[in-house]
Amino acid sequence: MLSKGTLTRLKEKLIQPQPPEKRIPKERRYVCPWKIGDVFAFQIGTEKFQEHPLFRHWIVIQKIRAVPWYPHHIIPVITVRYSLNAERPLLNKVTAYPLIPIAKHYERRNEHGKPIGDFRYDYELGLVMTSKRNMPDTFFYLGELPVQMPENSYQKEKGKEFECFYSKWTKIEELLLGKYTKFVEES
């Protein structure tokens, strides 16, 4: 049972005018409009990478599929290639450009969790985009090509296609140049 003081406070609160309505934010859902097979390019031009061998070269990406991203976005999964020189890439030459591996997957691990045995490269990168504004100005569309993965690439298990390495646009140059240095230069 409520005390008389509590009932009086509740009555006063109910009699007072209601507070203004709170604005409920509109749910913004981003679904990447790219089609599977779409090919885009951008040039490595950030001054902090002047000493990198790919400075002024082109990075060419291709959408290979789409995956859900929290809370309700749909983002692209891409493969990444690099041009062998600073000339603007042409669509008909893109498939000759080398792929940049994103990760290594080993066949098995020992009892301590250390990878052993043969490995396969994973070339897939989930590109975290939740708005059209995330796109850099230097980014442009080249065209559409059939998706072709290398024969020896890591194959995801059925139902686990969403498991891949992810990166935001703001970090993509740094990530890709690091992966190039790690997997391509050291090979």
Side-chain angles (χ1 to χ4, degrees), residues 118-135:
D118 293 335
F119 67 88
R120 292 176 183 253
Y121 282 122
D122 187 352
Y123 296 97
E124 298 181 7
L125 176 67
L127 193 54
V128 179
M129 308 168 40
T130 55
S131 165
K132 290 178 186 171
R133 293 180 305 215
N134 292 142
M135 306 296 289

Side-chain angles (χ1 to χ4, degrees), residues 47-149:
E47 294 303 315
K48 72 178 185 177
F49 298 116
Q50 268 185 316
E51 303 302 318
H52 196 281
L54 291 183
F55 185 68
R56 296 283 181 226
H57 287 234
W58 291 85
I59 296 294
V60 178
I61 66 173
Q62 181 179 29
K63 180 179 177 181
I64 58 172
R65 58 191 171 85
V67 293
W69 184 255
Y70 179 82
H72 45 255
H73 305 294
I74 304 295
I75 63 170
V77 174
I78 61 171
T79 57
V80 183
R81 297 175 183 271
Y82 62 95
S83 67
L84 300 173
N85 55 42
E87 294 175 20
R88 189 177 172 130
L90 299 172
L91 185 63
N92 61 351
K93 298 194 183 210
V94 164
T95 54
Y97 295 163
L99 284 160
I100 297 178
I102 303 302
K104 277 184 182 179
H105 289 277
Y106 287 85
E107 288 182 355
R108 59 188 185 282
R109 297 184 179 272
N110 66 14
E111 64 274 3
H112 304 293
K114 186 174 180 176
I116 57 174
D118 293 335
F119 67 88
R120 292 176 183 253
Y121 282 122
D122 187 352
Y123 296 97
E124 298 181 7
L125 176 67
L127 193 54
V128 179
M129 308 168 40
T130 55
S131 165
K132 290 178 186 171
R133 293 180 305 215
N134 292 142
M135 306 296 289
D137 296 337
T138 59
F139 188 74
F140 70 93
Y141 180 71
L142 283 174
E144 188 178 348
L145 288 172
V147 174
Q148 296 176 328
M149 297 297 284

Side-chain angles (χ1 to χ4, degrees), residues 102 104 121 177-187:
I102 303 302
K104 277 184 182 179
Y121 282 122
L177 295 179
K179 296 296 181 180
Y180 172 86
T181 302
K182 182 176 182 177
F183 293 125
V184 178
E185 283 187 346
E186 292 179 3
S187 298

